[in-house]
Amino acid sequence: MFEYFPGNYVWNLAVVAALNSGGLIDEVDRACRPIREAAARGEDAGTADFLAAWTDLTDQLEARAEAALAAGHGRTAGDLYFRATNYLCNAERMQSASSPGRVQVYRRVLGLAQQAMEHRDPLVTRVAVPYEGTTLPGYFSQAPGAATGPVPVMILWNGLDSTKEHMYISSHWAELAARGISCLMIDCPGSGEALRLQGLTARVDTEAWAAACVDYLLTRPDVDAARIGLAGWSLGGYFAPRAAAFEKRLALVVAWGANHNWGAVQRRRLEREGERPVPHYWEHVLWVWGQPDLDTFIKFADQVHLDGVVSHISVPFLICHGENDRQIPLEYAHRSYDQATASPRRELRIFTAAEGGAEHIGLDHLPYVSAYVADWVSDAFRSLPDAAPSATECRPEEPA
């Protein structure tokens, strides 16, 4: 992985994520040069410096975008807003949950993303998915073919620390759209806008979120009811397989990072084994899951695993994992694959260092992994029969 800040994995992950989501090396370099000394102090110290440096870059791009709009150059403005969204949401992700002004920064990210979509990607629109008396915020990318009839759709879920804005800037939705597939990008409870502005925390039984997403999609005339799939990256590699095991209206599922036993990973992190995705880590996980203290959280997290769960997946199942994933052990990818015996089309794809995509969720070569996932999804959708699955959920006895 390209490591701008030697020895600081967490900061390097943010840099690589930005670069592989449409960032420009010159812009990223100019933002990062002033904070090299801050990076050397460790992943937690200096995150305010990181935000300040990347906010300066965002300010520059937003000013240029406004000038471009005033001159009637909408496409140029859209590209500038897109990159500004990229940089600021990656910087916001690095902050402490209790960081002063974090909500205001995130609200600015929302505004930048809206401007980017309006001027650059008009087929991506904001949506709200009804969920237990409130809504889950999302973006819907309508594939071009949907103008003339229903098309397949993928639901995309994020993980512990990403947002639907990270999904948007990843452009995975564009890979799907190029293959005739729409995409619903959702901030699940415990992430993004659902957490920051609505206070919705994560839960173990993610099939509840899946049911809400499917119910919403079935109200849309541009959606093929027989071809609704689900992909989740990072902690989404737990969320999505869990959901597909029990929400039987889903037609396929992708674990973009095999998070088979996330609870066990937390116990490893207590022992300082493996890398962590964000600074101020334990504060972050308590915020995401709505837990009061670390002892309570660790016991709670023991439930977050897929043993006895993936065996109930009865649809095509793709597991992608990097051989050098420093956060989630490679053995978990094999465990999910080995246990998914009811899937009619299961595939394990391990990305190597020689080809790229070997780090966590393939962030070191995200476009490569994204294209692979989109191709697999397209092929799997084409192989399905036309009849929609039953709306009846199969919810076996909960695993211990």
Side-chain angles (χ1 to χ4, degrees):
M1 183 172 76
F2 172 61
E3 300 194 5
Y4 191 97
F5 302 110
N8 193 327
Y9 168 84
V10 176
W11 287 35
N12 288 330
L13 204 65
V15 169
V16 168
L19 287 173
N20 282 331
S21 296
L24 301 182
I25 186 67
D26 172 71
E27 292 172 345
V28 171
D29 178 54
R30 282 189 283 117
C32 288
R33 278 180 181 266
I35 56 174
R36 282 177 166 170
E37 289 187 10
R41 298 198 299 267
E43 64 188 48
D44 291 354
T47 49
D49 297 309
F50 192 104
L51 178 61
W54 287 46
T55 297
D56 285 346
L57 174 59
T58 301
D59 291 344
Q60 295 170 29
L61 296 182
E62 186 174 25
R64 288 166 53 195
E66 291 171 354
L69 279 182
H73 303 150
R75 173 69 187 191
T76 297
D79 286 343
L80 289 162
Y81 281 125
F82 182 84
R83 296 202 307 279
T85 303
N86 180 357
Y87 301 139
L88 194 59
C89 76
N90 273 296
E92 187 272 348
R93 167 187 164 274
M94 299 280 283
Q95 305 309 301
S96 161
S98 58
S99 174
R102 181 168 185 171
V103 169
Q104 288 74 20
V105 173
Y106 183 68
R107 288 188 185 278
R108 185 180 181 190
V109 170
L110 292 176
L112 292 169
Q114 190 63 42
Q115 291 278 55
M117 289 183 288
E118 289 178 7
H119 298 291
R120 181 182 186 271
D121 302 305
L123 291 180
V124 182
T125 55
R126 183 178 172 88
V127 298
V129 172
Y131 169 76
E132 298 190 352
T134 182
T135 59
L136 299 178
Y139 300 136
F140 188 84
S141 161
Q142 186 186 60
T148 58
V151 300
V153 62
M154 283 297 292
I155 305 163
L156 184 57
W157 284 353
N158 44 34
L160 180 73
D161 51 86
S162 60
T163 67
K164 66 185 180 304
E165 290 71 45
H166 287 98
M167 299 185 217
Y168 168 57
I169 62 173
S170 78
S171 295
H172 182 62
W173 57 270
E175 290 291 337
L176 294 170
R179 294 161 176 80
I181 301 166
S182 295
C183 183
L184 175 63
M185 297 165 269
I186 286 291
D187 275 335
C188 305
S191 70
E193 189 176 347
L195 176 65
R196 288 156 176 77
L197 303 187
Q198 297 173 234
L200 297 176
T201 54
R203 54 194 278 187
V204 174
D205 55 337
T206 61
E207 58 271 24
W209 315 338
C213 291
V214 174
D215 288 345
Y216 164 76
L217 289 171
L218 292 178
T219 69
R220 296 185 61 112
D222 55 355
V223 168
D224 181 346
R227 289 172 174 80
I228 298 174
L230 171 63
W233 63 32
S234 195
L235 183 51
Y238 162 79
F239 293 154
R242 162 80 199 207
F246 303 133
E247 173 46 79
K248 294 301 181 180
R249 293 174 294 176
L250 292 168
L252 57 83
V253 63
V254 178
W256 196 328
N259 229 315
H260 189 93
N261 194 332
W262 190 77
V265 169
Q266 305 320 296
R267 293 189 175 273
R268 291 177 64 243
R269 286 175 179 165
L270 278 178
E271 302 300 323
R272 302 295 299 179
E273 297 177 14
E275 296 286 1
R276 303 186 294 191
V278 287
H280 318 286
Y281 180 74
W282 296 112
E283 182 184 1
H284 187 88
V285 293
L286 294 180
W287 181 41
V288 166
W289 291 95
Q291 296 297 309
D293 55 65
L294 187 55
D295 287 344
T296 304
F297 164 74
I298 288 295
K299 294 173 184 175
F300 167 83
D302 287 338
Q303 304 173 72
V304 187
H305 66 83
L306 295 172
D307 289 327
V309 173
V310 290
S311 58
H312 297 288
I313 294 175
S314 54
V315 293
F317 182 22
L318 171 64
I319 303 157
C320 291
H321 207 84
E323 71 170 1
N324 193 43
D325 190 325
R326 294 180 242 179
Q327 296 183 40
I328 306 299
L330 176 58
E331 66 181 274
Y332 286 171
H334 292 282
R335 191 179 301 180
S336 284
Y337 178 83
D338 291 344
Q339 292 182 15
T341 53
S343 169
R345 179 178 177 165
R346 57 179 169 154
E347 179 177 334
L348 173 58
R349 177 65 163 89
I350 297 172
F351 290 85
T352 67
E355 64 182 317
E359 293 287 342
H360 184 61
I361 67 167
L363 277 175
D364 55 308
H365 200 342
L366 187 61
Y368 179 54
V369 179
S370 175
Y372 183 89
V373 171
D375 283 339
W376 185 92
V377 165
S378 178
D379 292 345
F381 273 141
R382 281 200 300 269
S383 72
L384 295 175
D386 289 332
S390 168
T392 302
E393 293 183 18
C394 172
R395 300 177 82 163
E397 185 174 324
E398 291 289 315

